[in-house]
Amino acid sequence: MRRWESVLHLGEGSTPLHAAPRTASWLGLSKLLVKRESLNPTGSFKARGMAVAVSRAMELGAKHVVVPSAGNAGGALAAYAAAAGVRATVVMPADAPEANQVEVLIAGADLLLLDGLISDCGRLGRLISEETGAFDLSTLKEPYRIEGKKTMGFELAEQLEWRLPDAIVYPTGGGTGLIGMWKAFDELQAMGLVGEQRPRMFAVQAEGCAPIVRAFREGSQFATEWEDAKTSAAGLRVPAAVGDFLILDSLRKSGGGAVAVPEVEILATQKRLGSLGLGYPSLETAAATAGLKALVDAGLIGSSESCVMFDTGAGSPVRGRVASPSR
Ligand SMILES: *Cc1c(COP(=O)(O)O)cnc(C)c1O
């Protein structure tokens, strides 16, 4: 049964698709469109998934929700759970961005900090769910977050008047952004709104945690867990993705690819993007842009192709670093 009163809205979605001419010319592209997911409530596209997942959990009668998070998913869950008036527990690595920890606490959610990675947080989240009956909203463990993220693909098609771009570049951790859009394009085709042509999908990861890039290069169907995952782009610090085979499938079937960028490039590109007029972008957005630069330099994306880069989240200070070194 659908109960419309359980549908939660905090203003998520309908984000602008901006032309970024100064960034385009730095990259060597004649044109670049940027999907500004950083303008979502709680500052990232994670809001889209949580809007749908928490609404549906409410509809199903959940009294308590739990999620493991590298940062932004926790902040988004806390906000939507607060809007619903339901208890939320967020499990984060102790070194997750301070801004995310604070937003979880401000929204009145329980915050558990673990000395470990998102995968360790996932194990504790599952235990909490089993012990307390809390509804587990982990990535791809329930079907609704991906349905929310799918709307990025719908919007993109609508904003481009049903002509999908040649290439999409996405900073990839758990991969739900790519998987969601891939699903959206299939559904749009089934509805007769787009043809069978797909954008080439490119995943960008950090060199310190690049399981999808490695698996793509090796031609594997699944990605093996990345040891000792390290990157300051918190959303990309996902050593093992549940949907690895789905991500790899979309990259291969679309004729796209995967690229890893060094940490120094991520930091330098964040500052570069700021000075090119993109505001205060997240390190994940910076990573995507650094990856796009590498793809253009390698000739994998042509200078006159239509390309959409995802600005997945807003920037926040990193402990002990006020600004990245300029180069
Ligand atoms: C979660 C997150 C990502 C990674 O997205 P996936 O779809 O999980 O791969 C990228 N950027 C930001 C800002 C994020 O919060």
Side-chain angles (χ1 to χ4, degrees):
M1 193 188 60
R2 288 285 180 282
R3 288 194 284 109
W4 291 107
E5 65 270 22
S6 56
V7 175
L8 301 159
H9 283 301
L10 295 176
E12 65 289 335
S14 301
T15 56
L17 185 63
H18 278 162
R22 296 193 69 218
T23 306
S25 71
W26 171 61
L27 291 166
L29 291 170
S30 54
K31 188 179 174 192
L32 173 68
L33 293 172
V34 180
K35 184 73 169 148
R36 301 301 303 266
E37 291 301 302
S38 55
L39 299 176
N40 273 298
T42 71
S44 83
F45 77 98
K46 297 293 196 303
R48 293 179 185 264
M50 288 305 179
V52 177
V54 177
S55 295
R56 185 65 178 135
M58 294 303 97
E59 206 168 55
L60 295 169
K63 299 282 177 275
H64 179 190
V65 286
V66 59
V67 82
S69 169
N72 282 326
L77 174 73
Y80 285 91
V86 72
R87 181 175 176 201
T89 302
V90 175
V91 191
M92 271 185 199
D95 57 357
E98 207 168 347
N100 294 128
Q101 299 188 22
V102 172
E103 75 178 329
V104 167
L105 294 172
I106 293 283
D110 308 325
L111 175 64
L112 298 175
L113 295 176
L114 262 194
D115 200 4
L117 290 169
I118 176 97
S119 30
D120 304 303
C121 297
R123 279 187 280 278
L124 181 59
R126 251 186 323 278
L127 209 63
I128 292 169
S129 167
E130 283 161 17
E131 293 288 315
T132 67
F135 195 85
D136 185 356
L137 290 171
S138 301
T139 299
L140 295 172
K141 296 288 184 187
E142 55 75 57
Y144 303 109
R145 283 177 67 189
I146 197 87
E147 291 301 301
K149 292 171 180 176
K150 193 177 78 180
T151 58
M152 289 192 290
F154 289 163
E155 275 175 29
L156 197 60
E158 189 181 6
Q159 286 168 315
L160 293 171
E161 292 167 356
W162 316 109
R163 274 189 302 273
L164 298 176
D166 295 320
I168 289 177
V169 178
Y170 205 97
T172 302
T176 54
L178 286 173
I179 297 167
M181 282 193 283
W182 193 243
K183 185 166 192 262
F185 299 150
D186 282 350
E187 293 182 4
L188 288 169
Q189 188 183 349
M191 288 185 272
L193 289 167
V194 303
E196 58 182 15
Q197 194 69 27
R198 293 288 179 274
R200 302 201 308 288
M201 312 285 272
F202 291 96
V204 181
Q205 299 198 299
E207 273 186 358
C209 181
I212 298 298
V213 179
R214 181 171 64 190
F216 183 83
R217 288 197 184 132
E218 289 171 351
S220 330
Q221 190 189 352
F222 297 96
T224 43
E225 182 160 350
W226 192 270
E227 300 285 331
D228 198 22
K230 266 200 207 79
T231 172
S232 56
L236 307 188
R237 203 168 51 145
V238 181
V242 183
D244 53 358
F245 61 104
L246 298 171
I247 306 170
L248 288 160
D249 208 41
S250 74
L251 304 180
R252 293 195 176 111
K253 283 197 177 138
S254 69
V259 59
V261 291
E263 200 64 19
V264 289
E265 289 293 330
I266 299 176
L267 300 178
T269 305
Q270 184 186 43
K271 182 129 196 291
R272 164 93 55 177
L273 286 180
S275 60
L276 288 172
L278 251 75
Y280 182 5
S282 62
L283 291 163
E284 292 84 349
T285 298
T289 315
L292 174 53
K293 180 121 183 71
L295 291 165
V296 173
D297 290 349
L300 290 166
I301 293 179
S303 61
S304 60
E305 288 194 287
S306 65
C307 180
V308 172
M309 201 265 295
F310 271 78
D311 165 35
T312 47
S316 68
V318 172
R319 234 172 301 225
R321 186 171 63 83
V322 176
S324 56
S326 48
R327 297 202 311 165

